[in-house]
Amino acid sequence: MRDPNVNFNFLHKTCTLVVLLCCLHICVTVVYYVRSQQQNHQNPRKLDGHAGTSEAITEVPKSSSTLLTFNITVTEKDVQLEKCPDPSPLLVGPLRIEFSNPVSLEQTTNENPALQMGGRFKPKDCIALQKVAIIIPFRKRDEHLKFWLYYLHPILQRQQLDYGVYVINQDGEETFNRAKLLNVGYAEALKEYDYECFVFSDVDLIPMDDRNTYKCFNQPRHLSVSMDKFGFRLPYNQYFGGVSSMSKDQYLKINGFPNNYWGWGGEDDDIYNRLSSKGMVISRPNGVIGKCRMIRHERDQKNDPNPQRFDRIAHTRETMHTDGINSLSYNVVKVEKNKLFTKITVDVGKQ
Ligand code: UDH
Ligand code: NGS
């Protein structure tokens, strides 16, 4: 017969061992659970199922400063635009231009929502090839300006230019001075933005084809080459009036434009003489792309033909170094900005 105390002892030891093993199991489980919780807390994306491969997960930055770098990289990538293609893929070619129905500034503003204050625009999906200031000599031609803005803003936007429109308004009732106003436009536009190209446009000339890009070329450009009023041809080979463009370098090489042509005529011929004296040649679009319409009008007051013009253009080569952007003086009377243009009213003095 077995001793019952021996049986009890054996049972007691077995139970203690089982309890200890259970405790050990619980401890090991708790340790593993706590460690896995700590890992999840440090790297939550490891379990979120969106991170993709484990390599992707290891690239996720852990400190807050590297997280910031990550955000900046994404933003930079977003703004790193490519240059706009040349020519712009948005061009449509020939346009119907007519002046029988009046247009309002309000209508043009509503139809061009991408314009910024001052008549500024730049494409949002690519970097424009050129920064262009468009300079319009002006006095009392408000109806013409409305047509110009109505037609030109959509064209210039399709041309994907980074541009601004500057209307240089001659203050007072003295004789008109187109070329001096153009010099003022050059100087004032540059105070505002780092323009590299300048388009000088009469207010009454509208291109009939948007492939006639209002930008600069290797040589000074004459853009209004095929005007309806001249039967869609040049009136003479050296004609440089209406609409032209010049890079900053080209403009500075000729010391800008003359300041002393008061009244109608000759200042454009003087500019031509300046360019040719510096060995530059005129670049032009062909006669189809260069077609444009002029808004018909009567002769302006205080802009009678200048009787001195023939004498002046005979001496361009002698006068151009002392009369130009280096001798320009004027007073700004007022600067007004709206969505369609910047209007700078200037006192350019008198003859
Ligand atoms: N300009 C004004 N106001 C004026 C004079 C000129 O805004 O009082 C500007 C305007 O941008 C114009 C440009 O200067 O387009 C050139 O003016 P212009 O008189 O030299 O040339 P335009 O072709 O007229 O406008 C030429 C005379 C037309 C006489 C027509 C007679 N039927
Ligand atoms: C020339 C003028 C230019 C003028 C061009 C066209 O005779 O200034 O006619 O004029 N030159 C001289 O007078 C020396 S237009 O028909 O557009 O009025 O731009």
Side-chain angles (χ1 to χ4, degrees), residues 178 202 227 229-230 235-236 239-242 264-269 294 299 306 309-310 313:
R178 177 176 181 267
D202 284 357
M227 285 162 59
K229 79 162 172 177
F230 297 134
Y236 51 96
Y239 177 59
F240 199 62
W264 179 87
E267 82 295 340
D268 46 355
D269 304 306
M294 196 194 86
R299 190 172 282 286
N306 171 10
R309 66 190 188 282
F310 299 106
I313 57 175

Side-chain angles (χ1 to χ4, degrees), residues 41-52:
H41 185 69
Q42 282 175 357
N43 189 359
R45 292 187 71 176
K46 206 163 182 176
L47 293 177
D48 69 10
H50 298 295

Side-chain angles (χ1 to χ4, degrees), residues 214-281:
Y214 274 35
K215 64 168 188 169
C216 290
F217 292 77
N218 287 339
Q219 294 290 332
R221 182 88 159 175
H222 186 222
L223 294 139
S224 53
V225 301
S226 190
M227 285 162 59
D228 57 349
K229 79 162 172 177
F230 297 134
F232 294 110
R233 55 191 345 169
L234 281 175
Y236 51 96
N237 265 343
Q238 297 81 2
Y239 177 59
F240 199 62
V243 189
S244 60
S245 75
M246 261 174 238
S247 68
K248 200 174 165 185
D249 278 359
Q250 292 160 357
Y251 176 91
L252 289 175
K253 230 181 214 169
I254 60 169
N255 189 25
F257 301 157
N259 296 303
N260 62 356
Y261 280 77
W262 299 90
W264 179 87
E267 82 295 340
D268 46 355
D269 304 306
D270 189 289
I271 296 168
Y272 177 88
N273 289 345
R274 288 173 181 236
L275 294 170
S276 99
S277 84
K278 290 288 173 188
M280 289 186 260
V281 292

Side-chain angles (χ1 to χ4, degrees), residues 295-350:
I295 309 168
R296 299 275 163 180
H297 61 93
E298 295 303 314
R299 190 172 282 286
D300 300 284
Q301 292 188 348
K302 289 294 193 175
N303 195 26
D304 289 335
N306 171 10
Q308 300 171 335
R309 66 190 188 282
F310 299 106
D311 185 50
R312 290 213 189 283
I313 57 175
H315 295 96
T316 305
R317 281 165 187 259
E318 296 111 72
T319 55
M320 64 181 280
H321 303 292
T322 47
D323 175 24
I325 190 71
N326 68 356
S327 62
L328 177 67
S329 81
Y330 61 94
N331 288 314
V332 173
V333 174
K334 196 170 14 163
V335 179
E336 297 158 278
K337 281 178 192 280
N338 59 39
K339 280 281 176 99
L340 298 176
F341 60 97
T342 298
K343 184 176 185 180
I344 304 179
T345 300
V346 279
D347 175 0
V348 290
K350 57 183 183 177

